[in-house]
Structures are given as structure tokens and as C-alpha cells.
Amino acid sequence: MRIKMRIRRFNPEADSKPWWGEYWVDVEESDRVLDALHQVKWYQDGTLTLRRSCAHGICGSDAMVINGRNALACKVLMQDVGDECQVEPLRSMPLIKDLVVDMEPFFAKYRAVLPYLINDNLPAEGERYQSQEARARYDDTTKCILCAACTTSCPSFWANEDYIGPAAIVQAHRFIFDDRDAAADLRLRVLNDVDGVWRCRTVFNCVQACPREIDVTRAIGEVKLALMNGLED
């Protein structure tokens, strides 16, 4: 099949503002948007810049806006995009070049929620054992691949770049509800802020955008309840 690719282009060294590049590519229905982008870069315009790594929906590096929706280019099939595929960089992130955005502000918020196990007490038998039930309590939020698709689909983030964002809250949730961890209060303190979890307006864009099908809004709601219960105590 032959399809038209419209790609948002911007080179800060040559362009005063972004522009649309249009390219015709021959692809199979089972090809992915990433394959079509490779066709453009490898055979039509080598200056096209994009970020990708594993190409199997695990690393999250090729998140972008595809036909108006956040998605991973390596997971969207060409048969599902129609006669024209429009590709843009993630919204409300500093643009570096073409489809590549600066992820550092995003990762700074990720680091702010202390996304690692904290427990200074030595385990009794060399390992920190955990029941299947305890693991299931936070299993959904372990699936996050830090692609930023949820955060950059959020109207609250579009309106205020200081909002910590869904992805950071999901990462905090993973440890707040881990019964082996001892720093839930520290993370809740970070999230109990005007630009923390309370800025979420429950729009559900994050759920639709997540390529790992995490119930992001539910996780945010559980963090809010944890804060409310803690405040009541």
C-alpha cells in the first residue's frame, strides 16, 4: 500500500518555525509507523530526526503524536492509520529537533518521587519476601516504561508544565503500595502539592494514551485516597 506521511519538521539551526514535510512511502499493512518513518529517513530524507531503540514497545523511546493521539510508533500498524499518517513530536515538551523532545524535565519529576525501594532494615533471610497478594496491590503500575505518552496527553500538564504529571505519580504509586518499602510518607509529601497529585482533573486522557494499558487514573485516585487518609490521621 502507498501512504502519505505528513511529518512535523523543525531544525533549530535552519528553521524559524516548524513546518510540515510530506512524503509518499510504500508499506505493507502489517508494517508499523516506525517502519514508514525509517523509509523516509533511510531512502528520502536523511535529515529526519527521531528517537527509537528496541522497536518492540518496551523502551518507550519512540512515543509521538500519531494522527492526533499519543502512541508508540513501533506499535501502531499502518493498516490502522488510514490513507494519511500525520506524525508530530510529543506536546508541551521542549523541542530539540523534528520528532525529538527534551525528556530531562520529565525525568526530573520522575526522580522527585524517589522511584526506588527504600528500606534501611536488613531482611531477615537475605531477601525481602512478599506475598502474591501484596505484589498484586501495585502490579499494574510496574508496567510503566517512562515513554511520557500519558503526561504529554494531559490537559493539566499542557496548562502548567510544573504539574508533576501522571507518569511520576504512577511511579510513586508503585512504591507507595509496596509493603517492603518504608518511604511512602516521603513520596506522599512530594505529591501533596498544588502541582502534585491534586492538579489531576480526572480527564482519562492518560489511560487512553498509555501503550501498556495501565489504569493511570485509578492509580492517581488511590494516591489521593492515601493522602486523604493520612491527613485524617
Side-chain angles (χ1 to χ4, degrees), residues 86-104:
Q86 181 169 292
V87 183
E88 308 168 59
L90 292 174
R91 299 186 176 105
S92 295
M93 301 279 273
L95 182 59
I96 295 177
K97 183 183 178 185
D98 291 339
L99 301 175
V100 176
V101 296
D102 183 0
M103 297 287 287
E104 179 51 33

Side-chain angles (χ1 to χ4, degrees), residues 171-212:
Q171 291 293 327
H173 178 285
R174 178 259 175 273
F175 291 101
I176 288 170
F177 295 101
D178 188 335
D179 65 351
R180 300 167 302 173
D181 186 84
D185 289 345
L186 293 177
R187 298 185 187 90
L188 290 172
R189 195 175 303 143
V190 171
L191 297 175
N192 188 28
D193 184 84
V194 65
D195 292 322
V197 71
W198 303 114
R199 190 163 290 280
C200 170
R201 297 297 183 262
T202 320
V203 177
F204 288 94
N205 277 16
C206 51
V207 177
Q208 297 176 7
C210 180
R212 301 288 289 176

